[in-house]
Amino acid sequence: MAHRPTADVIVVGGGIIGLSIAWRAAQSGRSVQLVDPAPAQGATFAAAGMLAPVSEYHYQEDALLPAMLESAALHPGFVRELEPVDEAVGYLRNETLLVGVDQGDRQALADLHAAHRRARLAVEPLTTRDARISEPLLGPRVTSVYRVAGDHQIDPRKLAARLLDELVRAARQGRQVGIVRVQAVALLHRDRADDDSDVVGVRLADGTTIGGAEVVLANGVGARAIGGLPGRLDLPLRPVYGDILRLRVPERFRHLLRSTVRALVHGESVYLVPRSDGTLVIGATQREDGLDAVSAGGVHRLLRDAQQVVPAMGEFPLIEATARARPGTPDNAPLLGRVRGRDGAAVRGLVVATGFFRHGVVLAPLAADIALGLIDGRPDPRWSAFRPDRFTTAHADLTAERTHR
């Protein structure tokens, strides 16, 4: 069996999570191999990039809120390390408006605002008059508005490109950093007969192997198909497809649309994200129908609802329609951390970092810090609720038994 260069850290998956972890690991002086046949072409390619811990707040997802807030606060420093000019990665500190159309939307937003107040999140009600002074393109059907000044945005494509550039630059400078554009198919274990033994590398689709002290599994839904997962580990990942559109904003409209707008239109959600490059991102549907192509019905719904909010967008050229799968979990929280074997001890050499669903971009800086902390032997107990084996029956039973004792 042919062997590729070994590494201190092998990151499987080149989306925004894997790229961020690989970059942080390289910054620490470790040798790194990023393994992905098409880096940044999965969910990251379609993501809108809203850094929105407040407006993304959902009922019964309270465990996510502290992580979302902390990671959003990390983004300015994270971006500054990569690129001193925010615009180069599309980082904009524009505010977010939450808007509704009909009575049901108004009530839903009022209920959400009550939840925001209980969680002590900064959200300000606006009159529609004040909202239209701020955003003149808001249409007459908008009847309810809240401002979230602290929810910003970044362009995931630009951010991913900068992270890739940094890894390539490190390799050209002679540091032990590489990008392997081949799919990983299995984990390698120290004891080939024991999937709970130390993970010591990965096997690739071309038959070659890479040895490594640590393997970070950050390849989205694909993580569930990797061979050699420890013991009875269950990674309940499901592909949640989303249609997302990009329009070109004509020059005469660009100064009139500055805020990110998240809307409820007759109970359906739609968001409009104006980019610094003069494009407008509209998204996103959530489908679990297995269709990995753009849905005609999804495109129709997004355009119809977005035009209720900003009627002028009917004059904007449609330049792209994209669909990608986001890795969902039963509780919509990530699978992030070490994995316990059958004996309850952590399997050495493996970190799982997947299942980020809607939140991969905003959580990327924190996920990178958490993963590096685990590799350094400094786990952060604040994020133990995201353990990747929390849905594995055998491990849950063992935890319950120890608690009882």
Side-chain angles (χ1 to χ4, degrees):
M1 184 179 291
H3 300 279
R4 293 175 181 262
T6 60
D8 295 326
V9 180
I10 302 167
V11 179
V12 178
I16 200 68
I17 297 295
L19 287 167
S20 299
I21 293 170
W23 177 57
R24 279 290 187 228
Q27 281 185 310
S28 74
R30 291 175 168 84
S31 58
V32 177
Q33 293 288 312
L34 178 78
V35 180
D36 192 308
Q41 295 304 301
T44 296
F45 183 78
M50 291 173 291
L51 309 179
V54 176
S55 52
E56 275 278 323
Y57 177 72
H58 282 68
Y59 305 114
Q60 299 178 338
E61 292 183 11
D62 294 275
L64 264 176
L65 183 59
M68 297 270 283
L69 291 168
E70 178 158 336
S71 197
L74 291 173
H75 262 276
F78 185 79
V79 166
R80 203 168 297 117
E81 288 182 67
L82 276 169
E83 180 58 64
V85 180
D86 289 349
E87 290 279 322
V89 289
Y91 181 49
L92 297 178
R93 292 173 171 81
N94 59 340
E95 64 190 20
T96 295
L97 298 181
L98 304 177
V99 310
V101 171
D102 64 19
Q103 176 59 38
D105 301 332
R106 290 196 296 275
Q107 185 59 57
L109 288 179
D111 292 344
L112 179 60
H113 184 49
H116 287 148
R117 289 200 305 270
R118 289 194 294 272
R120 298 182 180 179
L121 299 174
V123 180
E124 175 192 0
L126 289 182
T127 66
T128 55
R129 179 179 180 276
D130 287 342
R132 290 190 178 93
I133 292 172
S134 172
E135 293 296 328
L137 291 188
L138 288 178
R141 294 184 182 274
V142 170
T143 61
S144 177
V145 186
Y146 296 83
R147 173 190 284 144
V148 187
D151 280 3
H152 303 146
Q153 63 152 296
I154 197 165
D155 188 331
R157 294 182 184 179
K158 290 182 178 180
L159 177 58
R162 283 294 297 121
L163 289 164
L164 272 170
D165 286 347
E166 284 297 302
L167 296 176
V168 170
R169 187 164 69 92
R172 287 175 178 165
Q173 291 173 344
R175 294 158 61 191
Q176 293 178 298
V177 176
I179 300 172
V180 181
R181 296 176 186 268
V182 183
Q183 185 173 354
V185 296
L187 303 175
L188 301 178
H189 291 266
R190 189 174 303 282
D191 181 348
R192 295 183 180 181
D194 182 7
D195 286 345
D196 281 351
S197 65
D198 298 358
V199 173
V200 294
V202 296
R203 186 171 73 252
L204 307 181
D206 63 4
T208 61
T209 63
I210 306 174
E214 294 278 359
V215 174
V216 180
L217 208 54
N219 56 334
V221 177
R224 65 182 183 180
I226 292 286
L229 290 173
R232 302 171 186 170
L233 178 64
D234 179 20
L235 296 179
L237 296 161
R238 70 190 196 281
V240 183
Y241 291 93
D243 307 298
I244 194 162
L245 312 177
R246 281 171 172 78
L247 285 69
R248 177 72 59 192
V249 181
E251 191 66 39
R252 68 184 185 277
F253 288 117
R254 290 189 185 179
H255 69 288
L256 299 175
L257 185 63
R258 292 164 296 192
S259 301
T260 295
V261 179
R262 301 178 63 97
L264 284 178
V265 180
H266 309 310
E268 296 277 3
S269 66
V270 65
Y271 54 73
L272 299 90
V273 186
R275 290 267 194 260
S276 59
D277 62 1
T279 58
L280 177 68
V281 179
I282 298 178
T285 61
Q286 287 190 190
R287 299 183 283 105
E288 299 189 42
D289 54 8
L291 177 65
D292 61 358
V294 175
S295 160
V299 172
H300 169 72
R301 202 271 289 174
L302 291 174
L303 291 174
R304 179 199 66 200
D305 291 350
Q307 200 166 2
Q308 295 280 304
V309 179
V310 177
M313 56 140 286
E315 301 181 39
F316 300 178
L318 175 62
I319 59 175
E320 182 183 312
T322 307
R324 291 292 190 273
R326 295 159 289 188
T329 64
D331 58 4
N332 294 334
L335 307 175
L336 180 60
R338 297 281 188 191
V339 174
R340 290 166 290 199
R342 295 180 183 86
D343 62 357
V347 175
R348 290 187 293 182
L350 177 64
V351 174
V352 175
T354 185
F356 287 81
F357 192 27
R358 302 182 304 268
H359 311 303
V361 177
V362 68
L363 288 176
L366 181 62
D369 287 351
I370 292 171
L372 193 62
L374 291 166
I375 291 168
D376 284 341
R378 298 180 289 101
D380 190 332
R382 291 180 300 163
W383 317 120
S384 59
F386 302 147
R387 287 196 65 113
D389 52 18
R390 64 185 182 273
F391 299 106
T392 302
T393 303
H395 297 160
D397 289 348
L398 179 61
T399 301
E401 180 182 342
R402 287 180 171 174
T403 301
H404 179 71
R405 287 175 181 173

